[in-house]
Amino acid sequence: MKKIAIIGGGIVGSTCAYYLSKSSDKVQVTMYDDGLGQATKAAAGIISPWLSKRRNQKWYNLARYGAQTLFDIAKETKMSKDIYNQSGTIVTRDNSKDVDELYNLAMDRLESAPLMGQVVKLTAAEVKQYIPIIDHALPGVFVSGGAKIDGEKYVNKLINIAKKVNLNIVNQKVRINAEGNIVDSDNHIHEYDKIIVTTGAWMKETLGELPFEVDVRPQKGQLIELSLNSAFNDETEDMPVLMPEGERDFIPFSNGRVIIGATHENDKGFDLNPSHEVIDDLLNSAKNVVNNVSEENIIKVKIGTRAYTSDFAPYFGALPKSFAHILVGGGLGSSGLTTGPIMGKILSEMSLDNSKDNLEDLRKPIDNYIKPENN
């Protein structure tokens, strides 16, 4: 039996554990996670990478495959709609020229991404027909294959599946020592055949005793959950996500609940305290889409810490030389719920020494982000 450890139980770690549970006759898996500040558990996300104008083609490939991987996982695990719902996404623009440009981009990418489904150009009035709980809309593009996901419920679903097979959970913070072994909070040393590190913004701390410089920084993300009093509350679960021009994302869930956000705050470190100024900004964004919204509609504030690299690209792979038994994956930024599942799947395959072709189409060299200290 191969012994594999996963440090970090977010979107990447939980997906990795899920795929490793399919190899129960080969591996024993231990996950270390203290849950503090985890971005995934604070996230409600949009799975719709196809209309992004990011120039990094490797990121787009990773995100495109990530959306498909998430769809496959949701289908094979029979995820309920409150976890993953392919209800479509609508991206709006404030003028017809930009809408045409967005539509043409979608049609160009449709052939290589059939998961996109139907692509439709919409007037502002048609956008309101798709999402009748909103009062103000711009014209935009609808992609039927877009989806919304509850990050915390996704993580819990996959971890519970893996726990029934071969996963043991240790709820504590750990580090890796200079010899490449795990040290727990009681200073006990644990050796594993493979160690998969998916600690997000805490990656630098987890690998702190190893002779590497880690390019990762924290970014604070806040979102609010609203409860709307609407005649359409029974229908909100299946309404598309709205990504409005100039406003925060608008994500309808069941029973008239809507998520607004999230923010991208680069100068807050690992602060997990709510900011009244930010909450007001999120609420004002909601007011620009829906009438008669106030603080009384806020039922929850969620806060998490994302990981970003200096060029905003994710990374994954094995550390060099004598630390090659340590695999890492991170730097997902705000696309974590889309790119995390495919990264977790690939890391699970690497930990079992199952080679994958064409990985370079999905990533930049890992030593762009984790460099030997002497370099």
Side-chain angles (χ1 to χ4, degrees):
M1 294 285 283
K2 177 177 276 191
K3 292 176 60 181
I4 297 177
I6 302 171
I7 308 178
I11 187 78
V12 181
S14 61
T15 306
C16 193
Y18 167 70
Y19 278 105
L20 287 173
S21 72
K22 296 185 173 186
S23 304
S24 60
D25 57 334
K26 300 178 182 178
V27 295
Q28 294 176 335
V29 184
T30 302
M31 176 182 286
Y32 296 92
D33 182 67
D34 65 359
L36 182 64
Q38 187 188 104
T40 306
K41 290 184 177 178
I46 302 166
I47 312 302
S48 187
W50 311 288
L51 301 186
S52 171
K53 292 186 178 180
R54 288 177 63 164
R55 296 178 181 177
N56 184 345
Q57 184 62 38
K58 294 178 186 290
W59 173 87
Y60 175 68
N61 289 337
L62 189 70
R64 175 165 58 94
Y65 289 127
Q68 183 64 55
T69 300
L70 185 51
F71 173 83
D72 294 340
I73 291 172
K75 185 175 181 180
E76 64 193 33
T77 62
K78 297 180 173 60
M79 283 187 178
S80 56
K81 285 184 177 181
D82 65 325
I83 303 176
Y84 174 90
N85 189 355
Q86 197 178 26
S87 56
T89 52
I90 297 175
V91 182
T92 62
R93 293 290 182 262
D94 60 8
N95 66 74
S96 59
K97 181 181 177 181
D98 289 344
V99 172
D100 290 341
E101 183 180 331
L102 198 63
Y103 177 78
N104 291 335
L105 175 65
M107 295 305 295
D108 286 342
R109 289 178 167 175
L110 181 58
E111 184 176 351
S112 62
L115 184 64
M116 290 175 66
Q118 186 181 16
V119 178
V120 183
K121 196 186 306 184
L122 302 176
T123 65
E126 289 170 333
V127 170
K128 291 177 66 175
Q129 289 176 3
Y130 273 80
I131 314 176
I133 54 172
I134 67 175
D135 298 298
H136 308 284
L138 296 170
V141 175
F142 170 72
V143 179
S144 67
K148 50 197 171 190
I149 178 175
D150 185 304
E152 182 172 12
K153 291 180 179 179
Y154 170 90
V155 163
N156 292 338
K157 172 83 172 180
L158 295 195
I159 285 179
N160 286 336
I161 290 172
K163 282 170 64 177
K164 294 176 182 177
V165 182
N166 62 350
L167 176 66
N168 177 49
I169 304 286
V170 179
N171 297 120
Q172 61 176 256
K173 193 171 188 176
V174 297
R175 57 186 171 84
I176 297 178
N177 64 15
E179 288 72 43
N181 297 315
I182 289 179
V183 182
D184 65 22
S185 57
D186 297 319
N187 286 321
H188 296 144
I189 296 174
H190 304 268
E191 296 185 11
Y192 291 90
D193 298 300
K194 298 283 186 180
I195 300 173
I196 303 169
V197 183
T198 66
T199 48
W202 289 266
M203 180 80 71
K204 186 179 296 187
E205 182 180 352
T206 308
L207 304 179
E209 295 184 34
L210 300 183
F212 300 106
E213 295 178 2
V214 181
D215 174 16
V216 68
R217 58 181 173 83
Q219 184 187 72
K220 184 177 182 179
Q222 301 184 66
L223 54 79
I224 58 174
E225 181 175 335
L226 306 176
S227 178
L228 302 182
N229 299 315
S230 169
F232 301 100
N233 283 0
D234 292 339
E235 305 168 29
T236 51
E237 181 176 63
D238 292 322
M239 289 181 189
V241 170
L242 179 65
M243 303 170 73
E245 176 85 356
E247 301 294 345
R248 305 293 185 180
D249 296 331
F250 185 93
I251 312 173
F253 283 93
S254 61
N255 302 318
R257 295 181 302 116
V258 176
I259 298 291
I260 308 295
T263 61
H264 301 75
E265 302 166 59
N266 294 324
D267 57 350
K268 303 299 182 182
F270 293 92
D271 174 36
L272 293 175
N273 294 309
S275 164
H276 295 294
E277 181 180 349
V278 170
I279 291 172
D280 287 343
D281 175 72
L282 292 169
L283 187 61
N284 286 332
S285 188
K287 290 177 180 178
N288 290 332
V289 178
V290 181
N291 292 333
N292 302 318
V293 175
S294 69
E295 287 186 11
E296 295 181 357
N297 296 99
I298 299 176
I299 56 176
K300 190 178 297 183
V301 177
K302 286 189 174 185
I303 304 167
T305 307
R306 308 184 191 95
Y308 267 88
T309 58
S310 58
D311 65 355
F312 300 96
Y315 59 87
F316 63 90
L319 298 184
K321 298 180 180 179
S322 58
F323 300 104
H325 68 292
I326 300 174
L327 306 173
V328 299
L332 301 173
S334 58
S335 68
L337 293 175
T338 302
T339 55
I342 183 64
M343 187 179 289
K345 181 180 181 181
I346 292 171
L347 289 173
S348 72
E349 292 165 344
M350 287 181 166
S351 71
L352 297 175
D353 300 316
N354 295 336
S355 61
K356 290 286 292 183
D357 296 329
N358 302 321
L359 288 183
E360 303 319 307
D361 292 339
L362 308 178
R363 62 178 179 177
K364 296 180 181 180
I366 192 169
D367 57 13
N368 284 14
Y369 310 99
I370 300 183
K371 306 174 183 179
E373 286 180 341
N374 294 331
N375 285 6

